[in-house]
Amino acid sequence: MAAKDTEEDNLNLTATECQARIDQFVEVTKTDEAEAQSLLQDHDWNVINALNAFLGQQTSMEASTSGLVASTKPPSTLSMVTWNIDGIDKKNLDRRTAHIIQVLKKIKPDVILLQEVTDQIVEDLERHMIDYHIMEQAAGMDYFTCVLLRQTTIYLDKAVNTGFENSKMGRGLQRIDCHVGKVKISFMNVHLESTKDFAKERLEQLEKCLSEIKLLKDDTTAILAGDMNIRDKGVASLSNGTGLPPNIKDVWESLGKRKEAQYSW
């Protein structure tokens, strides 16, 4: 399958077309699907450009983080990843964790929100993601959320962990207040209650997250992300059936509902 040339075509691919380009990239490079998707996304799904970038990559030694200082000037863009990495499934966990770290180091997000992280995974992150500030949701739990901030991009102001009183699974809201230059941002990492049986608790937890957003000052932008386990009808039932408040936007929907970016697990 030949790569399409126009920006419009690249930004409106179906899931099947995206997978076909991933398969083509993997066949040529013999790399894995995760790396193929990452490079293709970086190059607007243009296979030729992604291949050129892959073939032109140079291996470099990892720089020491000593003396790293976050910029005081806001960047023109800010990248963020949210990913449920399924750390409670022990099958091939070491191999999967190594690949997760490989992907994250390649795309270098400014902010990383992870769910289903374990103590062992945190140790691996601390060993390899040395240019990130790593914050866990809570200690003494089998699994939890974790936030990583790139030290050369963002200043950490405060970290707040709030457990959900109705959770049967140890879930809670991890809030990280930070700033880039004069821009104030509150990143909220959450893993809402799982399974159909806990739909009521899940909606109550999401309502709690939205209430936390309302408490922030007007000069702060809130970004709520994570594993929501939520269905469209659940979102529609929020606020007594009015759905999301008008000042809160679903970024995935606002950016065109790209199929290849629809799920975070």
Side-chain angles (χ1 to χ4, degrees):
M1 174 180 176
K4 298 180 181 178
D5 294 328
T6 67
E7 181 178 359
E8 181 179 356
D9 286 338
N10 286 332
L11 296 179
N12 291 279
L13 297 173
T14 66
T16 301
E17 289 171 329
C18 290
Q19 186 60 51
R21 296 189 182 198
I22 290 172
D23 293 342
Q24 182 183 3
F25 189 97
V26 169
E27 182 179 357
V28 173
T29 63
K30 308 305 180 185
T31 186
D32 52 72
E33 287 198 3
E35 183 171 3
Q37 179 173 329
S38 173
L39 279 165
L40 285 165
Q41 287 177 328
D42 284 346
H43 294 85
D44 294 329
W45 291 93
N46 185 302
V47 176
I48 300 301
N49 291 345
L51 285 171
N52 287 337
F54 177 85
L55 296 173
Q57 285 174 350
Q58 299 287 329
T59 302
S60 61
M61 295 188 66
E62 194 170 63
S64 169
T65 59
S66 59
L68 286 179
V69 178
S71 171
T72 58
K73 181 181 179 181
S76 58
T77 61
L78 188 71
S79 57
M80 187 197 81
V81 166
T82 177
W83 195 350
N84 183 326
I85 57 176
D86 195 19
I88 56 178
D89 183 355
K90 302 302 182 183
K91 184 177 181 180
N92 297 322
L93 183 57
D94 289 342
R95 184 178 179 184
R96 289 190 291 113
T97 300
H99 184 69
I100 288 166
I101 292 173
Q102 178 187 357
V103 171
L104 293 175
K105 291 180 71 173
K106 180 175 293 292
I107 62 178
K108 296 181 174 63
D110 298 303
V111 182
I112 303 170
L113 309 183
L114 301 177
Q115 303 85 44
E116 294 195 17
V117 180
T118 64
D119 289 334
Q120 179 59 55
I121 293 175
V122 170
E123 291 182 11
D124 292 335
L125 291 171
E126 289 175 341
R127 187 160 53 249
H128 296 285
M129 305 292 286
I130 58 176
D131 52 342
Y132 284 83
H133 191 145
I134 302 172
M135 292 153 286
E136 305 170 39
Q137 174 192 5
M141 301 174 63
D142 292 336
Y143 67 95
F144 41 84
T145 61
C146 187
V147 174
L148 290 79
L149 296 182
R150 197 173 182 188
Q151 296 183 40
T152 53
T153 306
I154 300 179
Y155 282 101
L156 171 66
D157 295 320
K158 182 172 63 174
V160 180
N161 295 315
T162 305
F164 294 132
E165 294 181 357
N166 68 346
S167 179
K168 305 295 191 297
M169 305 174 185
R171 307 288 170 82
L173 177 64
Q174 184 183 19
R175 193 186 94 205
I176 306 298
D177 295 339
C178 51
H179 69 278
V180 183
K182 295 182 179 180
V183 179
K184 298 180 181 180
I185 308 175
S186 182
F187 290 97
M188 298 184 176
N189 188 13
V190 69
H191 187 184
L192 300 181
E193 217 78 353
S194 306
T195 76
K196 183 178 179 180
D197 293 338
F198 293 94
K200 177 176 178 292
E201 288 80 3
R202 182 162 53 248
L203 285 174
E204 291 172 350
Q205 292 167 5
L206 184 53
E207 292 274 16
K208 174 65 175 176
C209 294
L210 298 179
S211 297
E212 287 290 324
I213 292 176
K214 292 178 182 178
L215 295 176
L216 297 174
K217 295 181 179 180
D218 292 339
D219 63 351
T220 301
T221 297
I223 299 178
L224 172 66
D227 187 348
M228 302 294 178
N229 285 311
I230 202 74
R231 280 67 173 171
D232 289 341
K233 64 179 182 180
V235 175
S237 70
L238 292 168
S239 304
N240 296 318
T242 61
L244 287 174
N247 63 332
I248 295 179
K249 305 298 182 183
D250 186 322
V251 175
W252 177 74
E253 290 186 351
S254 299
L255 295 179
K257 301 182 178 181
R258 290 162 48 213
K259 287 296 183 182
E260 79 278 4
Q262 184 169 6
Y263 303 105
S264 65
W265 182 87

